[in-house]
């Protein structure tokens, strides 16, 4: 009944939901079950966040009357723990696939027409026919045409998750969600961190008071921020150090560090789909165009998750998968994207739901804002976590 290309949070949830409604499902996956989120995204990153939090906690333990005379960081063990967490969750998905009688084919799935998917496997090729096809191709790391970006000391958000030897210093290119999460991780591990951001502020999608607060906390954690800065090239120095050149206020600047991390986000993985006759793409190659039911311009083909240009969040992909399957079952439900919650795992974390103050003002809404600081909250003070605030618009 259904062939699903991609077994990330969108694809595997759609498959399970379809199987529970007595549909025959085949899932095609070129990598590991769980997609970006489980293997090289949300889960491994949050595992590192926890390790960094524990290590950083020892540095503040005397506040609570706890004196740790000796403690150290074993980065190899940190990465091993991360791998164990990922493996455990991946095995859970494998078990769900088996218990729901979903066939998983390993290989590169390619959409041929509105009813055909070919799969190039390691040991065999497959030719699949289906009434419905769900594209859950996911995303890939966005690319920047920066000279020197392919040098050996330059990391991306995937390779950084396997770095089992900490550098003494790192320059992060990009002050968005990925960049700032890694900035706090490395800072708590004791690495000297610099962040170079093209826009005027880090985490620029947030409200100005939130940006101001997290900027202050980043600086308190000795994270050096260089905003309104455009990276022009990366080079290797004579003593094997990374040199990041950037322009700030029409002046050439440079930073020297052991490693460089490129953290500029992800882009939809739609290669080959532009060849499919009748399949409409979004402008500037931002993904596959869908309606409110995740239906593409070809009625029996659906596109979910990072591929369709909506929010790049695992829980959004999962919900979109269910919406797509419901629609092909004849049930019409939609998603209100204003109700999607998000969290940025800086320290402290930033959690939000609904439209923010910037968006409300731009829409001309008549709003009232109420704020309460954590430094007036008893529980926050007992935890020594009194930075930040709650804000209701």
């Amino acid at each position: 009944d259904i062939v699903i290309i991609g077994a990330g949070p969108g694809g595997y949830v759609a498959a399970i939901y379809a199987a529970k409604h007595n549909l025959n499902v085949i899932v095609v996956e070129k990598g590991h079950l769980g997609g970006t989120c489980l293997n090289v995204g949300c889960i491994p990153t949050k595992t590192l966040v926890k390790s960094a939090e524990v290590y950083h906690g020892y540095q503040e333990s005397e506040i609570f009357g706890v004196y740790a005379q000796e403690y150290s960081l074993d980065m190899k063990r940190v990465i091993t723990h991360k791998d164990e967490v990922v493996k455990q969750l991946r095995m859970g998905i494998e078990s769900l696939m088996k218990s729901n009688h979903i066939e998983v084919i390993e290989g590169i799935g390619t959409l041929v027409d509105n009813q055909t998917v070919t799969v190039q496997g390691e040991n065999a090729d497959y030719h699949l026919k289906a009434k419905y096809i769900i594209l859950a191709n996911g995303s890939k790391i966005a690319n920047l045409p920066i000279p020197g970006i392919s040098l050996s000391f330059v990391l991306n958000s995937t390779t950084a998750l396997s770095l089992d030897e900490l550098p003494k210093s790192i320059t992060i290119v990009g002050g968005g969600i990925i960049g700032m999460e890694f900035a706090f991780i490395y800072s708590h591990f004791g690495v000297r961190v610099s962040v170079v951001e093209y826009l005027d502020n880090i985490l620029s999608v947030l409200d100005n008071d939130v940006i101001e607060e997290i900027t202050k906390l980043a600086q308190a954690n000795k994270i050096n921020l260089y905003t309104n800065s455009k990276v022009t090239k990366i080079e290797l120095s004579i003593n094997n150090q990374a040199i990041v050149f950037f322009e700030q206020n029409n002046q050439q600047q440079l930073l020297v560090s052991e490693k460089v991390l490129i953290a500029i986000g992800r882009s939809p993985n739609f290669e080959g789909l532009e060849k499919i006759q009748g399949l409409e793409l979004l402008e500037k190659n931002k993904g596959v165009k869908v309606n409110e039911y995740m239906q593409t311009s070809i009625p029996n083909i659906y596109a979910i998750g990072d591929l369709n240009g909506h929010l790049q969040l695992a829980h959004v992909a999962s919900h979109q998968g269910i919406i797509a399957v419901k629609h092909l079952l004849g049930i019409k439900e939609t998603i209100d994207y204003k109700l999607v919650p998000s969290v940025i795992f800086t320290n402290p974390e930033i959690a939000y739901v609904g439209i923010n103050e910037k968006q409300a003002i731009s829409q001309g809404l008549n709003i009232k804002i109420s704020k309460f600081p954590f430094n007036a909250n008893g529980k926050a003070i007992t935890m020594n976590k009194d930075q930040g605030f709650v804000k209701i618009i």
Side-chain angles (χ1 to χ4, degrees):
D1 297 308
I2 307 175
V3 168
I4 300 174
I5 300 178
Y12 80 76
V13 169
I16 293 168
Y17 189 84
K20 287 184 180 297
H21 287 78
N22 302 314
L23 295 171
N24 184 22
V25 186
I26 290 179
V27 174
V28 180
E29 173 55 54
K30 66 179 180 181
H32 295 296
L33 294 177
T36 296
C37 176
L38 173 54
N39 295 288
V40 292
C42 336
I43 300 301
T45 305
K46 276 49 179 183
T47 310
L48 296 191
V49 166
K50 181 60 181 178
S51 292
E53 180 187 308
V54 171
Y55 183 67
H56 188 62
Y58 277 106
Q59 299 169 37
E60 299 180 328
S61 64
E62 292 183 12
I63 296 169
F64 303 97
V66 178
Y67 294 85
Q69 299 300 325
E70 291 186 19
Y71 63 92
S72 60
L73 179 68
D74 182 349
M75 201 61 194
K76 286 184 171 56
R77 178 59 197 148
V78 169
I79 298 302
T80 299
H81 172 61
K82 179 266 298 182
D83 291 339
E84 290 168 350
V85 169
V86 171
K87 183 179 179 181
Q88 179 180 339
L89 290 169
R90 195 187 293 153
M91 288 172 63
I93 298 173
E94 289 173 3
S95 176
L96 285 169
M97 292 300 203
K98 289 177 182 176
S99 64
N100 285 283
H101 310 292
I102 299 165
E103 184 176 358
V104 179
I105 297 178
E106 295 181 10
I108 299 172
T110 303
L111 181 67
V112 178
D113 56 42
N114 69 325
Q115 288 190 318
T116 311
V117 172
T118 59
V119 185
Q120 184 182 353
E122 188 174 335
N123 300 315
D125 293 340
Y126 303 87
H127 195 74
L128 309 175
K129 289 279 187 181
K131 297 175 190 172
Y132 300 98
I133 296 169
I134 298 178
L135 304 174
N137 303 37
S139 59
K140 60 185 177 183
I141 294 170
N143 193 24
L144 273 181
I146 300 173
I149 200 170
S150 59
L151 290 168
S152 61
F153 53 77
V154 178
L155 307 169
N156 58 39
S157 58
T158 296
T159 55
L161 293 170
S162 299
L163 189 66
D164 60 6
E165 288 187 19
L166 273 183
K168 291 180 180 176
S169 56
I170 191 165
T171 300
I172 300 176
V173 179
I177 294 172
I178 297 172
M180 291 312 300
E181 287 187 349
F182 272 107
F184 276 91
I185 289 169
Y186 285 127
S187 174
H188 286 350
F189 279 150
V191 178
R192 190 174 77 252
V193 179
S194 298
V195 177
V196 182
E197 168 56 41
Y198 179 73
L199 298 175
D200 293 340
N201 291 300
I202 60 169
L203 299 170
S204 58
V205 297
L206 302 176
D207 281 340
N208 292 333
D209 53 353
V210 182
I211 293 171
E212 184 179 328
E213 186 80 2
I214 200 65
T215 297
K216 182 172 65 178
L217 291 165
Q219 292 167 342
N221 281 275
K222 299 179 181 179
I223 298 170
N224 300 306
L225 302 175
Y226 302 88
T227 55
N228 196 25
S229 301
K230 180 184 179 181
V231 175
T232 54
K233 62 180 176 179
I234 303 169
E235 292 184 352
L236 178 66
S237 74
I238 196 168
N239 61 342
N240 292 319
Q241 293 287 297
I243 308 175
V244 175
F245 295 85
F246 63 96
E247 293 175 358
Q248 186 184 50
N249 300 324
N250 296 319
Q251 290 187 332
Q252 181 88 336
Q253 308 285 359
L254 61 85
L255 287 166
V256 179
S257 57
E258 280 189 33
K259 297 284 186 183
V260 176
L261 169 61
I262 306 296
I264 55 167
R266 304 181 66 86
S267 57
N269 197 12
F270 65 89
E271 282 77 5
L273 295 177
E274 65 270 22
K275 300 175 184 176
I276 304 300
Q277 189 171 0
L279 187 67
E280 192 174 348
L281 302 180
L282 293 167
E283 292 181 5
K284 298 180 180 178
N285 295 331
K286 289 185 177 179
V288 177
K289 188 174 183 179
V290 296
N291 64 13
E292 65 267 44
Y293 309 114
M294 308 305 126
Q295 199 174 22
T296 70
S297 52
I298 302 174
N300 69 313
I301 297 179
Y302 296 77
I304 63 174
D306 291 357
L307 185 64
N308 66 24
H310 284 288
L311 299 173
Q312 292 187 344
L313 294 168
H315 48 289
V316 170
S318 298
H319 201 61
Q320 287 180 344
I322 293 171
I323 293 293
V325 174
K326 280 187 173 181
H327 187 260
L328 63 86
L329 287 169
I331 304 166
K332 291 185 177 181
E333 286 189 11
T334 60
I335 299 174
D336 185 348
Y337 290 100
K338 293 195 298 291
L339 302 181
V340 175
S342 298
V343 181
I344 303 171
F345 285 82
T346 48
N347 187 15
E349 297 163 1
I350 304 167
Y352 55 95
V353 65
I355 63 173
N356 63 23
E357 183 181 352
K358 280 182 182 175
Q359 293 165 327
I361 291 170
S362 71
Q363 293 176 27
L365 299 179
N366 181 22
I367 59 172
K368 290 185 179 180
I369 296 172
S370 195
K371 290 173 70 172
F372 190 88
F374 286 151
N375 62 16
N377 179 275
K379 180 70 187 302
I381 294 170
T382 66
M383 297 169 65
N384 196 38
K385 298 287 184 184
D386 60 353
Q387 312 102 324
F389 51 82
V390 175
K391 176 179 180 181
I392 298 176
I393 304 163

